[in-house]
Amino acid sequence: MSKIKPSKGAPYARIMGVGGYRPTRVVPNEVILETIDSSDEWIRSRSGIATRHWASDEETVSAMSVEAAGKAIADAGITPEQIGGVIVATVSHFQQTPAVATDIAHRIGAGKPAAFDISAGCAGFGYGLTLAKGMIVEGSAEYVLVIGVERLSDLTDLEDRATAFLFGDGAGAVVVGPAKEPAIGPTVWGSEGDKSGTIKQTVAWDVFHADRPEKFPAITQEGQAVFRWAVFEMAKVAQQALEAAGISPEDLDVFIPHQANMRIIDSMVKTLKLPEHVTVARDVETTGNTSAASIPLAMERLLATGQAKSGDTALIIGFGAGLVYAATVVTLP
């Protein structure tokens, strides 16, 4: 018989507060057209994107995260000292080690929390949310800060007509804490490694270090393959998340998919047959694709603008490089 005593965590977990940070520089499509042969109409029709935010030198991954985290902590009504874990989802923090989460934890005054980064592309926020839920239910932390943050402008090839217009920068954060009733549903997540080449970095860091190619590594993707996978396969994952939570599309108030592309979002809404009363996040139009930051940023904007309200039931789903995905149903803070 085991001598290890059982954990004393909360019965459930919930999102208690949300915060976002968008860089001050707004970049319209006209700027993108300086380096690719395209048009504003083509970009809007293919992606729905009109503008995106690009970070300045001062708006680092850590600095943007600190701003978003501060808002989320205030929104949750707790103090930084109560944070027992900091999870940062990002693919654009260039320092391999230490994790940027440790610097963020120090800068927000969180004391000595568990702090680590995860790399799960555009599904990173969903992965982090699931890990935070586990920490709270297991009892290793009472409150966990989950941050999705990207500076994808550093990894964008402005001469690549297929991707130059897609990516933006920003940070979104949530505080996850204890709950007396279910407020974060079971996560449907996974990966399809046989498709890992459809979204990838052009040159590995070790190759770049050895050969020093003229162009800095950037993100590239096979657009049509990704589109088909996202629309058809991720709609199935979203449906599984609804079923795991024990609800139907009619029970939803809000749908917050990864802000990859407006056509993907609209196609998923159609495939899922979401009722007209469901509010759909379309933050991509003015924020671009911010990978791990897109879901919390979209959540923050919906709540700030009144398009969604506290207590609403929301389906969130992230998907991207790997190819990886994560979907769950949550109650909005």
Side-chain angles (χ1 to χ4, degrees):
M1 184 176 180
S2 175
K3 297 180 180 179
I4 301 173
K5 65 179 182 180
S7 301
K8 295 182 179 180
Y12 304 105
R14 66 187 178 104
I15 298 174
M16 299 179 58
V18 59
Y21 179 82
R22 293 172 174 80
T24 56
R25 184 187 177 193
V26 177
V27 180
N29 288 338
E30 285 73 18
V31 172
I32 308 299
L33 296 175
E34 294 174 3
T35 53
I36 62 171
D37 180 16
S38 187
S39 67
D40 177 65
E41 180 183 4
W42 188 88
I43 292 174
R44 288 174 185 259
S45 66
R46 298 289 291 182
S47 69
I49 299 172
T51 61
R52 73 283 294 145
H53 295 255
W54 283 355
S56 66
D57 290 343
E58 291 74 28
E59 291 168 317
T60 62
V61 165
S62 182
M64 292 191 294
S65 297
V66 168
E67 291 292 331
K71 294 175 183 177
I73 292 169
D75 191 45
I78 65 170
T79 65
E81 293 82 4
Q82 292 176 274
I83 298 292
V86 177
I87 303 172
V88 178
T90 185
V91 297
S92 50
H93 174 57
F94 289 164
Q95 190 167 320
Q96 196 73 37
T97 189
V100 71
T102 59
D103 179 56
I104 294 166
H106 172 70
R107 293 178 63 177
I108 65 174
K112 299 180 180 180
F116 57 95
D117 299 349
I118 58 174
S119 176
C122 304
F125 176 76
Y127 276 50
L129 186 64
T130 303
L131 294 173
K133 172 186 173 183
M135 292 168 70
I136 290 160
V137 173
E138 187 269 340
S140 61
E142 185 175 11
Y143 302 102
V144 179
L145 179 67
V146 181
I147 301 170
V149 57
E150 301 292 5
R151 270 182 57 121
L152 294 179
S153 57
D154 292 333
L155 286 169
T156 299
D157 180 354
L158 293 179
E159 296 179 351
D160 180 2
R161 190 172 184 270
T163 62
F165 57 89
L166 286 176
F167 302 116
D169 303 337
V174 299
V175 171
V176 182
K180 295 181 180 179
E181 59 183 18
I184 300 175
T187 298
V188 177
W189 55 357
S191 64
E192 298 184 24
D194 59 317
K195 301 179 181 68
S196 61
T198 56
I199 305 176
K200 62 182 180 180
Q201 185 171 302
T202 53
V203 181
W205 293 119
D206 57 345
V207 175
F208 177 76
H209 177 73
D211 296 344
R212 299 289 173 135
E214 292 183 5
K215 279 193 174 182
F216 194 75
I219 296 174
T220 185
Q221 69 175 23
E222 298 175 15
Q224 288 301 316
V226 172
F227 180 88
R228 288 191 297 269
W229 175 78
V231 171
F232 298 108
E233 296 303 320
M234 291 305 95
K236 297 176 186 176
V237 171
Q239 184 61 47
Q240 290 170 22
L242 290 174
E243 293 170 359
I247 67 172
S248 68
E250 288 73 23
D251 298 318
L252 280 179
D253 300 305
V254 184
F255 179 43
I256 311 178
H258 163 50
Q259 301 294 292
N261 178 307
M262 195 76 79
R263 291 173 63 216
I264 290 176
I265 294 170
D266 290 341
S267 295
M268 289 186 71
V269 169
K270 183 177 180 180
T271 302
L272 287 168
K273 299 180 181 179
L274 295 184
E276 289 187 6
H277 74 263
V278 176
T279 298
V280 179
R282 292 186 170 89
D283 194 44
V284 67
E285 180 180 5
T286 57
T287 305
N289 179 342
T290 57
S291 187
S294 76
I295 292 175
L297 276 174
M299 183 187 297
E300 185 266 347
R301 174 162 281 173
L302 289 177
L303 289 167
T305 58
Q307 296 177 72
K309 62 183 185 300
S310 175
D312 278 352
T313 299
L315 169 64
I316 66 173
I317 180 170
F319 44 86
L323 292 170
V324 296
Y325 53 87
T328 188
V329 176
V330 303
T331 301
L332 295 183

